[in-house]
Structures are given as structure tokens and as C-alpha cells.
Amino acid sequence: MSQKYIAQWAWAHVETWMDMRRYNYTGLDPVTGTPIYPGFSTPAVLFPDNNGKIAQRIRARFNSEYVWNVEALRVIGGLELDFHTKPLWITQP
């Protein structure tokens, strides 16, 4: 994954972030037991609303979903302060 990270640097940042979330940022290779991203460590200080968790998603823009589709956000927990730290379905086993 390190080589993929290097190859995609600045060109495929969304794909890189997806891989990082898929492996929970600091996950281990299931075959070798070594870190997927050697040398990577999570930040020591996170935004207070994160409750000690790393961001997993981007919040909807205020002038879109929060204004025009707030009921749909409420259904998926999008109004919770730490919504952006909830894992995506695609990153779950």
C-alpha cells in the first residue's frame, strides 16, 4: 500500500483516503502482520467533536442537505456532532 500511496500522491487523493479508511488508518497486513502504512500515526490532537476518533466521511454542505434534505440526514445520523467519524458501509467487513 505504501507504493500505491506514493504513486497516487496528489492525483488520486480520494482513492488514497478510501484505502486508508478501509484499513482503519493504522491497520496491519493480514498476511505479514506489518502495518499497511509504515510510519503513519494518527494525530495526537483531534477536533473535540470527534470524541477521539479519526474522520471517516465529509459532512454535507450546509446550503444543500442541511437546508433542503434535513429529514434524510436525521435518518442516517447526519445531525450528530460526530457523524463525520462514523465508518462507511464500504469499509466494514
Side-chain angles (χ1 to χ4, degrees), residues 1 4 8 14-28 36-37 55-56 87-93:
M1 290 304 290
K4 182 178 180 184
Q8 293 183 334
V14 175
E15 175 73 16
T16 298
W17 190 34
M18 186 69 231
D19 287 337
M20 294 186 89
R21 291 178 292 176
R22 185 176 294 127
Y23 291 103
N24 201 22
Y25 290 94
T26 57
L28 301 177
I36 295 291
Y37 295 101
Q56 299 288 328
L88 302 167
W89 67 269
I90 197 167
T91 63
Q92 302 307 300

Side-chain angles (χ1 to χ4, degrees), residues 47-64:
F47 185 67
D49 289 347
N50 288 21
N51 295 322
K53 298 178 280 185
I54 299 176
Q56 299 288 328
R57 55 179 74 208
I58 298 172
R59 287 189 172 276
R61 289 173 33 133
F62 176 75
N63 62 350
S64 62

Side-chain angles (χ1 to χ4, degrees), residues 27-40:
L28 301 177
D29 183 314
V31 175
T32 65
T34 59
I36 295 291
Y37 295 101
F40 177 82

Side-chain angles (χ1 to χ4, degrees), residues 41-78:
S41 60
T42 57
V45 178
L46 297 170
F47 185 67
D49 289 347
N50 288 21
N51 295 322
K53 298 178 280 185
I54 299 176
Q56 299 288 328
R57 55 179 74 208
I58 298 172
R59 287 189 172 276
R61 289 173 33 133
F62 176 75
N63 62 350
S64 62
E65 299 301 306
Y66 290 99
V67 173
W68 307 107
N69 202 13
V70 74
E71 288 308 314
L73 284 177
R74 185 172 285 117
V75 169
I76 63 170

